[in-house]
Amino acid sequence: MSPSRNPRRLSLVAAVAALLTVAPIGVTAAHAQVTRIRQGSAGDVSRTAWSGPAYTMNGSGGIIAATMTQAINAIRGGTGSIDVVVVAGSGNTTPECDVITGLTGVNSCTTLTLTAARDGNDAQVNTDIRNAEFVYFAGGNQCNYVAWKGTALEASVESVVAKGGGVGGGSAGLHVNSDIVYDACTASTTSAIALADPYDRSVTFTTGMFRWPNYANTINDSHFVTRDRMGRTMAFVARAVKDGLVTGGKAWGVGIEEGASFYIDRNGLGTLSGPSAYVVLGDHQPEVAVAGQPLTYSNFKIWKLAGGQTYDFANRPTCGYYLKSVRAGVPDANLYSGTPVTDCTTPPPPPSGGSGYAEVEPNDSRTAANDISGLTYPATVTGDMKSGTDRDYFALTLGSGQTLTATCAVPAAYDADLYLLSSTGSTLTRSVNNGAGADESVTLARTTSGSATYYLDLEAYSGSGTDDYTCTLSKS
């Protein structure tokens, strides 16, 4: 949720009266009118082909002239001009269009202020959007914006991108442009709240609204460093993976600082203007993400970008990140900086305070199981499926009242399934996701008195190889 756009008096003088039109549309007794303010030319540009798409993702609500200019030039192919629409959910001013109309290559800029969900079906609103070549979502309250999901407005905005135009937004308008939208419809959350309980009532999402090319499986967050939002983005990413809101078991948080802006070109290459941005990857199931409990998640992969640096959303990097973890709701220190990893072929180390173990063959049965009962948790266990019939057993203990969570990141070379067995070999729970590279995760709470031995059994289902799987184990 973002602060309301600053209200200010809109003064019209005779010198600009011919260039600015204010008109209420769709007025009824039931709800406030849609306000339409057009600046620049009264007629739309007519052209059959455009050179986008192009995107601007801004960490705060205002226009960043550098990235907006890049988007305009990309869409018009360096010649001609475009029409821009700014969509807002409140206010009666035009701060975005005031900047945009001063940029080269802009024919007109129209501010549309919609105050109800049904305004997304307003005929004039959708005509203006479809006739535009760029749509910018202003700051405000993203919960108002997700209410337009399923209205004609959603399809109209998508048509602008489809014809080679562009889209962007800042603050609340940034949020609505990611694949998974943190909608803040119940309350606005903080890092402390979200890490203490990633299922808190303030952590809610909208999916299935916009999915822009090269930007799948993303969750945007704004005002990133200034409002200390790294922790809540970590919680968002963990939730997206745990709840299956993403494809492929991976989610990318994109946190953009105030005054910063990503320009993303038609090929998916993002270039940052301004202070900083962060891309936060969660590529495995969380060790603990349960309603009412603090988050535990090991080894978020974080890319930090400064002004002028790039991130390829079409071919997302697999190296150059630094690692940070969260244990029982407490994140590692210095979340906004770290030493980049350069050897990305070695599995990440266990989070601070844990220990690691590499399998020792033969461990193909309970009697030959590797004993990992002495590890410090959260722990990391690695191994591989040496054949299509390989089974790797690991023995551990669980005390009364303890909950074990085991999450295994499986490489793309094979499909492996995960079982948790009792001391006698009975299957207590299992995870059998289909497909090579599909991660597996099991959780078990011991409710009986005393402690007992359990076995983790990772079995090859199809394929084999020397690429390591990595299982992260936690006890709570």
Side-chain angles (χ1 to χ4, degrees):
M1 185 176 294
S2 305
S4 298
R5 301 161 77 219
N6 293 328
R8 71 184 186 190
R9 182 179 299 274
L10 180 65
S11 59
L12 304 180
V13 294
V16 300
L19 299 180
L20 186 147
T21 303
V22 182
I25 55 179
V27 180
T28 72
H31 76 291
Q33 65 195 38
V34 174
T35 301
R36 178 179 186 264
I37 304 175
R38 186 178 178 104
Q39 295 171 251
S41 173
D44 292 321
V45 173
S46 178
R47 181 165 152 178
T48 58
W50 301 96
S51 301
Y55 312 87
T56 62
M57 305 289 185
N58 297 359
S60 43
I63 298 295
I64 304 297
T67 54
M68 190 69 207
T69 296
Q70 286 177 290
I72 292 167
N73 287 338
I75 292 166
R76 68 191 185 97
T79 61
S81 60
I82 71 170
D83 296 296
V84 179
V85 164
V86 173
V87 179
S90 62
N92 60 357
T93 60
T94 60
E96 296 82 14
C97 280
D98 291 348
V99 175
I100 291 170
T101 52
L103 301 177
T104 300
V106 175
N107 177 65
S108 72
C109 186
T110 302
T111 302
L112 300 172
T113 304
L114 286 62
T115 58
R118 69 181 187 182
D119 292 338
N121 290 317
D122 183 276
Q124 183 64 59
V125 164
N126 284 283
T127 296
D128 284 333
I129 291 173
R130 286 182 177 273
N131 288 344
E133 287 72 54
F134 194 92
V135 179
Y136 186 86
F137 287 87
N141 182 345
Q142 62 262 33
C143 188
N144 293 336
Y145 294 171
V146 298
W148 301 326
K149 176 184 174 181
T151 69
L153 180 145
E154 180 182 351
S156 294
V157 175
E158 290 169 345
S159 76
V160 174
V161 173
K163 72 181 179 182
V167 70
S171 194
L174 169 69
H175 285 269
V176 79
N177 273 297
S178 55
D179 193 13
I180 302 154
V181 180
Y182 167 62
D183 58 37
C185 284
T186 304
S188 182
T189 200
T190 64
S191 288
I193 291 171
L195 291 175
D197 180 2
Y199 287 86
D200 183 83
R201 61 182 293 272
S202 61
V203 184
T204 55
F205 305 102
T206 295
T207 60
M209 190 167 181
F210 298 130
R211 171 169 278 195
W212 304 127
N214 304 311
Y215 211 63
N217 301 322
T218 56
I219 310 170
N220 287 346
D221 209 349
S222 58
H223 306 278
F224 200 65
V225 179
T226 298
R227 300 187 187 179
D228 188 20
R229 287 178 166 173
M230 179 69 81
R232 79 174 199 174
T233 290
M234 289 172 157
F236 296 167
V237 167
R239 274 283 307 275
V241 174
K242 177 68 180 293
D243 296 350
L245 304 181
V246 293
T247 56
K250 298 179 182 181
W252 285 261
V254 182
I256 304 177
E257 172 59 334
E258 293 181 358
S261 174
F262 255 132
Y263 162 69
I264 304 175
D265 69 18
R266 62 183 298 171
N267 297 314
L269 183 65
T271 303
L272 186 71
S273 175
S276 64
Y278 295 80
V279 179
V280 182
L281 169 61
D283 60 2
H284 61 81
Q285 286 288 326
E287 289 79 6
V288 179
V290 180
Q293 296 185 26
L295 176 69
T296 294
Y297 196 107
S298 61
N299 294 324
F300 286 100
K301 296 175 180 176
I302 303 173
W303 287 262
K304 179 181 180 179
L305 293 98
Q309 292 185 310
T310 61
Y311 186 92
D312 191 342
F313 288 97
N315 301 285
R316 298 182 192 182
T318 57
C319 209
Y321 53 81
Y322 64 90
L323 297 170
K324 294 293 180 180
S325 298
V326 178
R327 185 168 55 190
V330 180
D332 288 343
N334 303 317
L335 289 179
Y336 297 94
S337 62
T339 302
V341 172
T342 56
D343 176 12
C344 298
T345 61
T346 302
S352 175
S355 55
Y357 183 89
E359 70 150 332
V360 178
E361 291 281 4
N363 62 342
D364 299 332
S365 66
R366 284 187 294 119
T367 56
N370 294 159
D371 184 1
I372 59 171
S373 58
L375 297 183
T376 302
Y377 290 80
T380 302
V381 175
T382 60
D384 58 52
M385 296 282 99
K386 66 181 185 295
S387 70
T389 59
D390 193 13
R391 299 177 70 166
D392 291 344
Y393 284 81
F394 303 91
L396 55 91
T397 59
L398 198 60
S400 179
Q402 285 188 314
T403 297
L404 172 74
T405 299
T407 300
C408 296
V410 179
Y414 46 80
D415 182 357
D417 296 330
L418 180 63
Y419 297 81
L420 185 59
L421 312 178
S422 71
S423 59
T424 61
S426 299
T427 298
L428 302 175
T429 184
R430 64 179 185 168
S431 176
V432 290
N433 295 321
N434 290 327
D439 294 349
E440 308 291 355
S441 182
V442 295
T443 299
L444 179 74
R446 179 171 173 80
T447 58
T448 54
S449 60
S451 61
T453 298
Y454 295 85
Y455 295 93
L456 282 176
D457 169 20
L458 200 67
E459 299 185 5
Y461 180 77
S462 65
S464 62
T466 58
D467 291 348
D468 279 347
Y469 57 78
T470 301
C471 296
T472 306
L473 283 61
S474 65
K475 291 181 180 179
S476 60

